[in-house]
Amino acid sequence: MIATTIDQRVVALASTGVAVRCDAVVKEFGEGETRLRVLHEVDLEVPTGELSLLVGPSGCGKTTLISIIAGLLEPTAGDVTLFGTPRSSLTNRQLIEYRAANIGFVFQQYNLLPALTATANVAIPLLIARVERKAAFARARELLSQVGLADKFDVFPAQLSGGQQQRVAIARALVHEPRLLVCDEPTAALDAHSGQTVLELLCRVAVHPERAVIVVTHDNRIFGYGNRIMEMADGRIQEVRTNAAGARRAPDPYSVLD
């Protein structure tokens, strides 16, 4: 794992069995008469060692919730605890450092840098963490191979299909071995075969006892992979169902990077 400079008295690194806990999380946008409440006192627990699916209709608050969990948005009220560390206990700088070291986020729009090759895009989190370039690129190539892009190491994003760009984005989110991986519609641009490859990889990440994966999806083809289905509607968690057959077990994908 990449080391963080956060004071270890602040960040509880020991596994608690709960990756994420949301306590009465509220999110509002706008001011005065235009103020819109998107999340209504959301209470939620996401355990470690599982692949959790967050599902619900468009506009129900799924992306807002995972953005708050990942530290990309500030809640209006309430708190989020990640691996035993309350967000409210961290300064802005500590939150940035904690997020960089512990959270991977797969954006729906990919957010790849067009001037960099697929390998360089994937290596960015490691280079930011001052991992030596040769080692960073070697790890990036390992992840690209795992998502079926071993022949695209030196290709630029404009030369890739939408599905291939999505797989590069997933490899980039995994390369620094995050404890929490958050994905916004990771299979939306993928065909059935590519989608299965990506979900198998996410499952291998999720089953580690000190990691967790949260996937926002409308893709009912992947519901069977989830250990936990969390249904949202109108800014609230309506139901949480467990699926004992979900998250098919497989070797840890990070073992090739050790």
Side-chain angles (χ1 to χ4, degrees):
M1 290 292 294
I2 299 168
T4 175
T5 59
I6 300 174
D7 190 326
Q8 298 306 305
R9 293 169 299 178
V10 176
V11 180
L13 291 178
S15 175
T16 63
V18 177
V20 179
R21 189 177 73 242
C22 297
D23 295 306
V25 171
V26 173
K27 183 60 180 177
E28 297 176 338
F29 293 99
E31 299 292 339
E33 294 183 358
T34 63
R35 182 181 293 270
L36 175 65
R37 178 167 289 196
V38 176
L39 298 179
H40 300 265
E41 298 185 344
V42 171
D43 293 315
L44 181 66
E45 281 195 356
V46 177
T48 57
E50 292 191 3
L51 174 66
S52 299
L53 303 181
L54 185 61
V55 304
S58 296
C60 72
K62 300 186 302 297
T63 297
T64 299
L65 179 57
I66 62 167
S67 296
I68 289 174
I69 289 172
L72 303 176
L73 281 179
E74 185 80 20
T76 304
D79 203 1
V80 175
T81 300
L82 299 176
F83 300 100
T85 301
R87 176 186 175 130
S88 58
S89 72
L90 301 177
T91 66
N92 286 339
R93 180 180 180 83
Q94 287 174 329
L95 177 61
I96 291 170
E97 292 174 348
Y98 186 87
R99 187 175 67 222
N102 294 284
I103 300 173
F105 198 110
V106 180
F107 297 91
Q108 198 167 0
Q109 300 302 319
Y110 319 143
N111 291 351
L112 302 180
L113 297 179
L116 299 182
T117 64
T119 298
N121 264 286
V122 174
I124 285 173
L126 298 179
L127 296 173
I128 290 174
R130 299 182 181 178
V131 173
E132 192 270 330
R133 180 182 175 88
K134 182 178 180 180
F137 273 52
R139 291 189 179 192
R141 293 187 183 104
E142 292 282 1
L143 266 297
L144 285 170
S145 296
Q146 289 190 38
V147 296
L149 296 176
D151 59 339
K152 304 295 184 183
F153 291 161
D154 300 318
V155 173
F156 293 92
Q159 299 169 296
L160 298 172
S161 68
Q164 290 169 337
Q165 290 182 47
Q166 179 69 302
R167 282 183 277 164
V168 173
I170 290 168
R172 180 183 58 190
L174 289 171
V175 75
H176 64 300
E177 305 180 23
R179 300 180 75 200
L180 174 65
L181 179 64
V182 181
C183 308
D184 194 0
E185 298 285 0
T187 61
L190 304 181
D191 59 27
H193 175 73
S194 297
Q196 181 176 351
T197 298
V198 165
L199 262 296
E200 292 287 356
L201 179 59
L202 296 181
C203 287
R204 294 201 299 271
V205 176
V207 297
H208 190 286
E210 292 187 2
R211 299 190 187 112
V213 178
I214 303 174
V215 175
V216 168
T217 186
H218 289 93
D219 188 353
N220 58 15
R221 297 176 301 175
I222 73 173
F223 282 13
Y225 285 88
N227 294 107
R228 188 170 300 261
I229 312 295
M230 307 177 296
E231 292 191 10
M232 280 195 78
D234 300 321
R236 298 176 173 86
I237 299 294
Q238 298 290 331
E239 181 183 7
V240 177
R241 306 192 308 273
T242 57
N243 174 23
R248 303 165 193 181
R249 270 47 180 171
D252 186 342
Y254 296 145
S255 61
V256 299
L257 304 180
D258 295 337

